[in-house]
Amino acid sequence: MTGCDPGHKLAGMTTAFVPNQWYVAAYTREIGRELFTRTVCGESILFWRTADGAVTAMSDRCVHRRFPLGEKPSHLVGDTVVCGYHGFTYGADGVCVAVPGQARVPRTARLRTYPVVEQDSFVWVFIGEPERAAATRIPRAPWLDMPGWTVVSGMEPLAARASLLVDNLLDLSHETYLHGGYIGTPEVAETPITTEVDEEAGIVHVSRRMADAACPPFYANSTGLTGRITRWQDIEFTPPCLYLLHSRIAPAGVLPNDDGTDPDAFHVEVVYAITPETASTTHDFWAVARDFALDDQDVSDYLAASNRTVVLQDVAALDVLEQVISGEPDGYQELSINIDTGGLAARRMIARMRG
Amino acid sequence: MLRVTWLPGDDRLRGRCHCGAQAEADEPVAMWEWLLAHPDHPAGGPVSLDPPAARPPAHLVRST
C-alpha cells in the first residue's frame, strides 16, 4: 500500500513554469480604466481597458529606465499609458508614440505585448511565444458566467509554489483533517478514488463517490439538507492551471434519473485557477458556482466566507510547507499512498508539458 | 485513457491501459510506472521500489 518514490523527489517536482500556455491573470471585474499589474510566471504585466472596453496586456516596465508603468504617477491618457517618470507614452499595441524633448521616437521603443482573452469571467494571458497562442486551448469553466448559476469568487496570494496547490487539490482526503468543520467529514478520507488520465485531452480525472456521508456545514448551511447525504466529488484538472470540482450533493440514496436529469440534487462547481506568480509564489483564484438558491444573498455571503476560510486554511498550510521544502537539501524523499494517485498523475503530466 | 481504480475494502490498485493491458499494484508510483511503459508493460507487473529497511533519515535543514 505504501512506497517511496524516487521519481518524485523535490527535484522532480514542478518548480519552473510550463511555457506556451494560457494562465488566468485576473477576474474581468479587476481590469478597468485604471492601470493594473500582476506578475504571471515571473513576468510583470500591465493590464488596462481601452476606451472601447478591450483588455490590453503589456510589459510593466518602461523601456527607458525600467520604471513600472503600473506605478503612480504613471497614468492613462485616452488609449495611451504615460510613464510617470519621464513621460514615455505607449499605445494599446505597446508601441511608444512619444518621448520627451524630441520628435524622433526610437524604433526599439516598444513594450512586449501579450495575447489576452476574456472568458468565463477570467482574463487569460498567454505566456510564451505569442504566435502559438491561437492554437493553444483555453480550458473552460462556463458555470462562472452562465444563466442558471450564481457565483462567489476571490483570489488569495499563496507564498508557495504552484505544484503544492496542485498536490493539495488533487487529493481531497486532506479535507477531513485540514478542513474539518467546514467541508471535511470522515467519509472523504475513508472513500477510495478512481483516477483516469485522458492523455489525448490532457485531463486528469479523480472521482470520489460517497454513498452515505455526513453533510458538512458548508453544504448543510447552503442547501438546507440536515440528514445523511450522497456526496460526489468529481475532479477534472487541466494542467497546468485549471481545476474543476464537480460536486453533487443529495439526500442519501438519491441518484440522478436514468435520462441524466438530476432535479433532486444540489450541484456546486468549485473552480480553481492556479497561476504561478514566481517560482515560489502563486495566485490562488477560487470560485464557487451553484445551481440552487440563486437569488439568496445570505447563501452567497455564507459560501463566500466559508470557501475563503477553507482556502486560507490551505494557504496557511502550504505557506508553511514551502518554507520547510525551501529550507531542505534537494532530493528528499516523499512517501506516496493510494490517495496520491491523482496528484502523481498531474505531476507527471505537468513535467511532460514542461519538457 | 489510463484508469486506476481502488476498490472499497481493498488496499490494492488496479490499473488498465488504453491498450487493454491490466495489472495490480500496492501503491500508485509503481502503478503509473507500469501504465506509462505502454506499449512495453513489464511482464512481471508493477514493481514497488521500496528501500531496504533502515533507520529513518534525519530531517536535514539547509545551511544559510
Side-chain angles (χ1 to χ4, degrees), chain A residues 248-285:
Chain A
R248 178 185 183 275
I249 305 294
V254 173
L255 298 175
N257 296 325
D258 290 340
D259 64 2
T261 57
D262 196 16
D264 298 321
F266 300 86
H267 302 91
V268 176
E269 298 289 341
V270 184
V271 178
Y272 284 86
I274 304 164
T275 302
E277 180 186 37
T278 67
S280 60
T281 59
T282 303
H283 304 299
D284 184 351
F285 293 90

Side-chain angles (χ1 to χ4, degrees), chain B residues 28-47:
Chain B
V29 176
M31 190 78 259
W32 285 121
E33 292 287 347
W34 187 88
L35 284 168
L36 294 169
H38 173 85
D40 301 316
H41 300 294
V47 177

Side-chain angles (χ1 to χ4, degrees), chain A residues 174-218:
Chain A
H174 80 274
E175 288 183 352
T176 301
Y177 304 96
L178 192 57
H179 305 306
Y182 292 88
I183 55 175
T185 69
E187 295 85 0
V188 181
E190 291 169 357
T191 304
I193 55 173
T194 296
T195 305
E196 292 182 337
V197 174
D198 186 338
E199 293 184 300
E200 198 169 321
I203 296 174
V204 177
H205 300 269
V206 181
S207 178
R208 175 180 273 111
R209 302 280 178 99
M210 292 163 270
D212 182 8
C215 189
F218 185 85

Side-chain angles (χ1 to χ4, degrees), chain A residues 28-100:
Chain A
T28 58
R29 63 177 183 259
E30 293 183 284
I31 313 296
R33 291 290 290 166
E34 297 287 330
L35 297 171
F36 178 91
T37 60
R38 187 155 279 156
T39 297
V40 177
C41 296
E43 302 188 24
S44 182
I45 303 174
L46 177 74
F47 298 90
W48 49 280
R49 282 186 195 275
T50 62
D52 66 6
V55 176
T56 67
M58 58 192 68
S59 177
D60 180 37
R61 296 290 183 274
C62 180
V63 298
H64 176 224
R65 290 294 181 266
R66 314 303 298 156
F67 190 77
L69 295 167
E71 197 75 31
K72 289 184 173 164
S74 299
H75 59 282
L76 282 177
V77 174
D79 280 348
T80 62
V81 181
V82 181
C83 178
Y85 192 6
H86 296 96
F88 276 56
T89 301
Y90 302 90
D93 58 1
V95 175
C96 184
V97 295
V99 298

Side-chain angles (χ1 to χ4, degrees), chain A residues 37-349:
Chain A
T37 60
R38 187 155 279 156
T39 297
V40 177
C41 296
E43 302 188 24
S44 182
I45 303 174
L46 177 74
F47 298 90
W48 49 280
R49 282 186 195 275
T50 62
D52 66 6
V55 176
T56 67
M58 58 192 68
S59 177
D60 180 37
R61 296 290 183 274
C62 180
V63 298
H64 176 224
R65 290 294 181 266
R66 314 303 298 156
F67 190 77
L69 295 167
E71 197 75 31
K72 289 184 173 164
S74 299
H75 59 282
L76 282 177
V77 174
D79 280 348
T80 62
V81 181
V82 181
C83 178
Y85 192 6
H86 296 96
F88 276 56
T89 301
Y90 302 90
D93 58 1
V95 175
C96 184
V97 295
V99 298
Q102 63 181 58
R104 186 184 69 83
V105 177
R107 278 185 300 132
T108 56
R110 58 192 185 96
L111 303 171
R112 175 175 185 142
T113 57
Y114 295 82
V116 63
V117 168
E118 290 187 83
Q119 185 168 280
D120 301 332
S121 84
F122 290 131
V123 174
W124 295 82
V125 66
F126 190 80
I127 303 297
E129 300 163 21
E131 58 274 18
R132 297 179 62 169
T136 303
R137 170 188 54 173
I138 305 175
R140 299 300 306 262
W143 311 274
L144 303 189
D145 187 19
M146 179 186 278
W149 294 80
T150 296
V151 182
V152 295
S153 61
M155 193 280 278
E156 311 303 332
L158 178 64
R161 65 199 68 188
S163 61
L164 294 183
L165 185 54
V166 173
D167 276 355
N168 172 282
L169 293 171
L170 267 291
D171 170 23
L172 294 181
S173 69
H174 80 274
E175 288 183 352
T176 301
Y177 304 96
L178 192 57
H179 305 306
Y182 292 88
I183 55 175
T185 69
E187 295 85 0
V188 181
E190 291 169 357
T191 304
I193 55 173
T194 296
T195 305
E196 292 182 337
V197 174
D198 186 338
E199 293 184 300
E200 198 169 321
I203 296 174
V204 177
H205 300 269
V206 181
S207 178
R208 175 180 273 111
R209 302 280 178 99
M210 292 163 270
D212 182 8
C215 189
F218 185 85
Y219 289 118
N221 292 335
S222 59
T223 66
L225 292 176
T226 55
R228 304 282 292 179
I229 59 170
T230 292
R231 182 180 183 185
W232 291 358
Q233 294 178 318
D234 294 325
I235 296 168
E236 181 180 343
F237 178 54
T238 305
C241 63
L242 191 72
Y243 172 97
L244 312 175
L245 170 61
H246 311 296
S247 180
R248 178 185 183 275
I249 305 294
V254 173
L255 298 175
N257 296 325
D258 290 340
D259 64 2
T261 57
D262 196 16
D264 298 321
F266 300 86
H267 302 91
V268 176
E269 298 289 341
V270 184
V271 178
Y272 284 86
I274 304 164
T275 302
E277 180 186 37
T278 67
S280 60
T281 59
T282 303
H283 304 299
D284 184 351
F285 293 90
W286 59 266
V288 177
R290 67 182 191 272
D291 70 349
F292 56 92
L294 298 181
D295 300 319
D296 191 326
Q297 189 59 44
D298 289 342
V299 171
S300 291
D301 292 343
Y302 174 76
L303 288 176
S306 290
N307 205 67
R308 181 165 188 267
T309 298
V310 167
V311 170
L312 291 176
Q313 289 168 338
D314 284 330
V315 166
L318 299 182
D319 286 358
V320 168
L321 194 51
E322 176 65 37
Q323 290 301 310
V324 169
I325 290 172
S326 62
E328 288 179 336
D330 291 339
Y332 80 96
Q333 285 201 327
E334 302 172 306
L335 181 66
S336 292
I337 61 172
N338 290 357
I339 57 175
D340 301 304
T341 305
L344 293 177
R347 285 187 188 182
R348 289 177 186 277
M349 197 175 279

